[in-house]
Amino acid sequence: MKDFLANMNLARWVILVSLVGSIGLGIWGWSLHGERVALEQSLVVDPNLGEVASRARNIQVLSLRHSELRKEYDREGLAGQDNPDTYFRRLAIHKDVALGGIEIKHQREHSPEKGVVDRKYLISPDTAKNSGRGTVGFDRARIANFLWLLEDQSRRVRVTNIRLDPVERKDPWVPNSDRWTWEVEVTSRQKAPDS
Amino acid sequence: MAKSCGIRIGPRRYELVVLDGGARKHRITAFSTGVLPYGGEDDVPETVAILREAIKAHNVPVENTAIAIDTGLAAFRTLKLPALDESKIEDVLKFEVEAQLPQWNIDDVVVDFVTLDHTEAETSLLVTAVPKADLGSLLELSARAGFEAQEAELEATAMVNAALSADICHIDDAQILVHVGELSTAVVVMDAGEVRAMRAIHIGGMTRDPAWESDEEGEDPEALERSVEQAVSRIRRELGRTLSGARTVNPIDAIYACGWELENLVETSIQDVPVYELDVFEEDGGQPAQGTAPLVVAYGVALRLLGGGTVRAHLRREELRYTGAFERLELPLAVAALMLVTLVGVFCIFESKQVALRSADVQLWLQSAINYMNGIPKQGIAGNLQYPWDDLDKYVANAASNDSGEVLAGIERKIRTEVGNLDEELGNTGKITQPQSALEALTRVVGVIGELGDEIGRVSIRKVIAETNTGGVGKDESVEVRLDMSFFANNASDATSHFDRFRNALADQDWTISVDARGTSEFPDGNGIYTDNLSIVCDLSKIDRSDEEVGS
């Protein structure tokens, strides 16, 4: 080391310091260049090419999707362990349904496979509230609308049992009045809470 | 393994030795001796040609070569200085020795030194002075011959290094080393392995040179022989004076001679001190079997280049200092290096400015994305994300302190995760398949009636039961639709035909597993039939839904 320092002169110091500095600056400059090129590529306005534009667009698309899903989530009222009665009752009084009050009985849960649970709800006209309609029954189209809305308004609900009986029990060769009593079972298949 | 070459360039002859190896272990790979022209009007071109030819013929490593010059060119002085380190000695040496060299202008000589003794009080130096003109002409000669000598030293110091490496000089004895040159003889007094004195005798052994003899046509051989005898006699006399005047701690036990092989010198004695040939070569070290004495100095020079020897003579000083290829280039290189570092610095500044500008662009994108996402509540402008959550709000609030690109990616990732969670909650992921719909099965069964239309006449459904069987172990999921139906027609036969057609149409459906009728009964008036509990088992998973509209 002593010999090395003894042999150094101004020119050699300049060369040494400049080369070391050049190497350091070169490494830094190269990383800056790479960063700059990457930024310029990401800033291409075409969302298919530019990462930044693509992310900005994705954020808006995903935001809209989130808003939509969140509305659906709130509308169903079926989230988690929440009581879905509100969902059923709201559809029952829909203007195209108008079935009036309904009675909802929560059935025993059933597990068709590990980690999955079927929550079943037995829905029928509310006997007390529909006492006056017990003899006249319900219009077939309204019942059908109710059943269709049950499945249409939520992806997590299926009508799994339907029973329609005519109000008037007539002989088979006598056309009936197309007024019905009804009872349906709705199933919501969900991930088991403990899975 | 390193290679080095030592060349002694004398007034009449040269010797060349190439070593390969290290300071301790090495081998002579080439050697050469030859005659140089002398006495002509301009001998330089011929001398250059001879040396160039020798260099080429023996594959000399020209980048690691040094020379030894005639000791007779030098003057020796002893100098005592206060105790100083080497760099200080270098500074004052010329000034101190100037008075002892009245024959030369001090600026016209290079001055080197060997430390003879060193105490706390003073330093004793053996100073050697060589005229720059003589040394410069030899260095120029070597450069023209195709090699740049890294160092130049006297024959005397090269001989000392060779002798020390051969372990001839010990701590408890003293010797006199003698190199007989063409025109001068170098004498070095060694005591306890260190140099004690050095002098030059201005008579050599050139009369033994056959070439010289052949040039002196017509000269009397007897006269030549007498001349040689006189030279030997004078050298012996001078050595005797040296022996008498030498002040050594240990008694001088031998004289070792190398260079010209003079008769009546080696294998004799002077004042009862035996004279031996200085043999510094290892056994089977690549040296010739005979006539090794002339190679000792060249060997010592080459050995020093490999790191051997202890006397670091240094005659290439001041304007004669060695400037190799790098030294000649270092100034332009320094300028180029400065330009390089400036260029790279400018490049870095430019790139950092560009990065700052592009980063600002990304920041604009980020701000715009946040604005569209959150809207501007104060102005009543709703954002695309109508239900933000705390974690996202905090992340966005801290966006300014982070890299904009990463924040964009982070926001996207958080929303995507939340959307995924909602999709899963809402059953959109397909991970959990909902049970088959009894409503769909009933609708499809009734739809068959609609498709058949008049083909099955008038039909009345009197009771409906549709039930999903959620399956179980080894049992597929299915839906069973049970209907009480009446078929009205003109007669029972037609009604039965209509019923069969309906049943067959059901059986033809892809999603139908089975159609099971318990039998039919005829109306009392014979205008139709009826059946109860007509069972249609459906498997809706068999329906090809690829044609169905998404979301329908």
Side-chain angles (χ1 to χ4, degrees):
Chain A
M1 189 64 184
K2 199 174 177 182
D3 289 345
F4 171 78
L5 292 173
N7 287 329
M8 292 301 283
N9 56 28
L10 178 63
R12 291 177 186 181
W13 276 118
V14 168
I15 292 170
L16 181 66
V17 172
S18 297
L19 285 180
V20 171
S22 296
I23 291 169
L25 284 172
I27 293 169
W28 183 47
W30 185 250
S31 77
L32 281 173
H33 175 73
E35 190 181 346
R36 196 251 300 170
V37 169
L39 279 171
E40 286 180 348
Q41 285 177 350
S42 70
L43 279 166
V44 174
V45 177
D46 184 348
N48 295 321
L49 300 174
E51 187 185 347
V52 170
S54 168
R55 287 196 189 287
R57 184 191 64 172
N58 287 347
I59 286 172
Q60 306 316 317
V61 172
L62 287 167
S63 295
L64 290 169
R65 172 78 176 147
H66 180 271
S67 299
E68 184 184 328
L69 289 173
R70 183 59 190 267
K71 282 178 187 167
E72 186 179 336
Y73 181 87
D74 291 345
R75 184 172 62 231
E76 281 188 8
L78 286 169
Q81 299 288 339
D82 288 351
N83 191 336
D85 293 9
T86 310
Y87 174 68
F88 300 139
R89 292 187 196 287
R90 182 164 48 79
L91 295 181
I93 60 172
H94 189 276
K95 65 182 176 59
D96 294 329
V97 176
L99 291 178
I102 55 172
E103 190 175 344
I104 303 164
K105 292 177 183 169
H106 292 213
Q107 306 290 87
R108 194 163 59 88
E109 288 184 357
H110 165 70
S111 178
E113 59 183 278
K114 190 178 179 184
V116 176
V117 64
D118 281 352
R119 293 202 168 92
K120 295 175 183 288
Y121 309 93
L122 189 63
I123 306 172
S124 59
D126 187 328
T127 314
K129 292 180 180 174
N130 290 287
S131 57
R133 297 171 71 174
T135 52
V136 296
F138 297 87
D139 183 62
R140 175 165 50 96
R142 294 184 181 279
I143 297 170
N145 283 348
F146 178 57
L147 298 181
W148 183 81
L149 282 172
L150 280 173
E151 292 195 352
D152 181 64
Q153 295 291 303
S154 171
R155 290 184 173 87
R156 293 193 297 162
V157 165
R158 289 289 184 277
V159 177
T160 51
N161 204 329
I162 303 169
R163 184 182 179 93
L164 298 177
D165 290 299
V167 172
E168 300 171 310
R169 291 202 172 274
K170 295 181 178 177
D171 290 330
W173 49 88
V174 179
N176 62 39
S177 60
D178 200 19
R179 304 291 294 183
W180 304 80
T181 62
W182 58 273
E183 184 181 73
V184 297
E185 182 191 70
V186 172
T187 300
S188 175
R189 182 165 288 174
Q190 299 173 10
K191 192 165 65 175
D194 55 347
S195 63
Chain B
M1 301 289 276
K3 287 181 81 172
S4 68
C5 175
I7 304 174
R8 189 192 78 87
I9 304 175
R12 308 286 178 85
R13 294 185 61 87
Y14 77 91
E15 291 93 35
L16 172 155
V17 170
V18 178
L19 291 183
D20 188 0
R24 293 179 181 277
K25 190 81 176 172
H26 48 261
R27 183 176 174 77
I28 297 174
T29 57
F31 63 87
S32 173
T33 62
V35 178
L36 298 176
Y38 179 75
E41 285 187 4
D42 186 8
D43 297 324
V44 173
E46 193 179 346
T47 303
V48 167
I50 291 170
L51 290 176
R52 187 187 293 276
E53 183 62 31
I55 297 280
K56 191 176 177 184
H58 296 92
N59 194 23
V60 167
V62 292
E63 73 286 352
N64 199 23
T65 302
I67 61 170
I69 63 172
D70 184 13
T71 305
L73 296 174
F76 298 93
R77 300 289 184 271
T78 303
L79 187 66
K80 289 186 186 302
L81 294 175
L84 296 169
D85 60 31
E86 279 204 7
S87 62
K88 296 267 176 57
I89 292 173
E90 294 276 4
D91 292 340
V92 302
L93 186 60
K94 269 199 159 181
F95 176 76
E96 294 289 341
V97 82
E98 184 176 8
Q100 297 185 38
L101 297 170
Q103 71 273 34
W104 290 319
N105 184 332
I106 195 66
D107 293 330
D108 294 337
V109 293
V110 287
V111 178
D112 192 18
F113 68 94
V114 177
T115 304
L116 297 177
D117 196 14
H118 184 79
T119 65
E120 288 187 2
E122 65 176 18
T123 303
S124 180
L125 306 176
L126 175 65
V127 179
T128 58
V130 178
K132 288 179 181 175
D134 295 336
L135 179 58
S137 63
L138 285 169
L139 291 173
E140 187 184 346
L141 192 73
S142 61
R144 290 176 61 184
F147 66 96
E148 184 78 26
Q150 283 191 15
E151 191 49 272
E153 60 180 315
L154 296 174
E155 293 160 339
T157 54
M159 174 176 62
V160 170
N161 281 333
L164 289 174
S165 73
D167 199 26
I168 286 171
C169 307
H170 305 105
I171 192 74
D172 55 353
D173 55 22
Q175 305 83 18
I176 291 180
L177 306 179
V178 179
H179 176 265
V180 182
E182 299 95 314
L183 301 176
S184 65
T185 299
V187 181
V188 180
V189 179
M190 300 292 294
D191 182 19
E194 293 187 349
V195 176
R196 281 284 168 260
M198 205 178 278
R199 61 178 292 225
I201 303 169
H202 291 278
I203 185 166
M206 66 179 184
T207 51
R208 290 185 58 102
D209 188 344
W212 181 83
E213 287 174 357
S214 64
D215 287 345
E216 302 291 327
E217 287 181 14
E219 191 157 336
D220 182 8
E222 289 184 5
L224 284 175
E225 196 172 333
R226 280 198 304 277
S227 163
V228 172
E229 284 176 1
Q230 285 177 357
V232 173
S233 176
R234 283 185 61 190
I235 290 171
R236 289 177 65 88
R237 193 162 56 246
E238 291 295 330
L239 288 175
R241 288 174 57 191
T242 302
L243 273 171
S244 302
R247 294 176 182 175
T248 58
V249 175
N250 302 297
I252 295 173
D253 58 4
I255 298 171
Y256 293 96
C258 63
W260 286 91
E261 295 172 337
L262 293 174
E263 290 180 8
N264 299 324
L265 184 61
V266 176
E267 304 298 338
T268 64
S269 64
I270 300 172
Q271 295 180 10
D272 296 331
V273 177
V275 181
Y276 303 116
E277 181 180 325
L278 178 56
D279 184 3
V280 297
F281 302 101
E282 294 178 9
E283 194 175 352
D284 297 330
Q287 70 275 26
Q290 289 186 332
T292 57
L295 299 177
V296 171
V297 166
Y299 170 79
V301 173
L303 181 65
R304 183 189 162 180
L305 289 177
L306 292 180
T310 54
V311 179
R312 317 308 276 174
H314 177 43
L315 290 178
R316 296 209 65 170
R317 292 163 179 265
E318 302 170 25
E319 63 267 36
L320 297 178
R321 73 183 182 280
Y322 173 73
T323 54
F326 178 73
E327 281 78 3
R328 285 192 291 272
L329 286 174
E330 63 187 15
L331 188 61
L333 273 177
V335 174
L338 269 177
M339 291 176 67
L340 177 67
V341 76
T342 306
L343 191 67
V344 177
V346 169
F347 174 73
C348 287
I349 292 169
F350 174 79
E351 288 293 341
S352 63
K353 294 280 184 195
Q354 289 290 312
V355 167
L357 287 172
R358 298 290 83 79
S359 296
D361 291 345
V362 177
Q363 175 65 28
L364 284 175
W365 274 96
L366 171 64
Q367 195 54 54
S368 176
I370 291 173
N371 288 344
Y372 276 102
M373 182 180 76
N374 285 342
I376 308 174
K378 289 180 181 175
Q379 298 177 16
I381 301 173
N384 292 329
L385 186 70
Q386 295 176 17
Y387 302 93
W389 55 101
D390 288 346
D391 180 44
L392 182 67
D393 284 342
K394 286 178 186 171
Y395 188 77
V396 172
N398 295 327
S401 59
N402 295 318
D403 177 70
S404 302
E406 287 179 11
V407 173
L408 265 175
I411 292 173
E412 183 191 359
R413 187 171 57 250
K414 282 180 180 294
I415 301 178
R416 192 181 293 281
T417 303
E418 195 65 16
V419 166
N421 290 340
L422 278 173
D423 268 332
E424 192 165 340
E425 281 284 337
L426 292 168
N428 296 338
T429 59
K431 287 180 183 173
I432 295 177
T433 310
Q434 294 297 328
Q436 294 188 9
S437 169
L439 174 63
E440 184 183 359
L442 175 61
T443 306
R444 287 187 181 272
V445 169
V446 174
V448 171
I449 298 173
E451 287 172 8
L452 291 172
D454 292 340
E455 292 179 37
I456 57 172
R458 289 172 289 123
V459 178
S460 169
I461 298 175
R462 294 178 287 107
K463 184 179 178 183
V464 175
I465 296 175
E467 186 176 8
T468 300
N469 299 312
T470 52
V473 179
K475 197 175 173 185
D476 293 335
E477 203 169 70
S478 62
V479 181
E480 183 182 11
V481 178
R482 293 199 302 276
L483 301 173
D484 289 355
M485 300 181 72
S486 297
F487 289 83
F488 296 90
N490 293 330
N491 51 59
S493 174
D494 286 351
T496 302
S497 171
H498 293 161
F499 174 64
D500 289 342
R501 201 169 291 161
F502 173 59
R503 201 171 56 179
N504 292 337
L506 282 173
D508 288 344
Q509 302 301 317
D510 293 338
W511 38 267
T512 302
I513 297 175
S514 64
V515 179
D516 182 21
R518 291 188 175 179
T520 57
S521 300
E522 192 176 327
F523 290 171
D525 60 2
N527 290 333
I529 61 170
Y530 66 92
T531 181
D532 292 340
N533 270 330
L534 170 63
S535 170
I536 305 111
V537 180
C538 313
D539 183 357
L540 303 183
S541 66
K542 293 182 176 178
I543 298 170
D544 179 10
R545 299 181 189 273
S546 58
D547 294 339
E548 295 181 6
E549 275 186 49
V550 176
S552 65

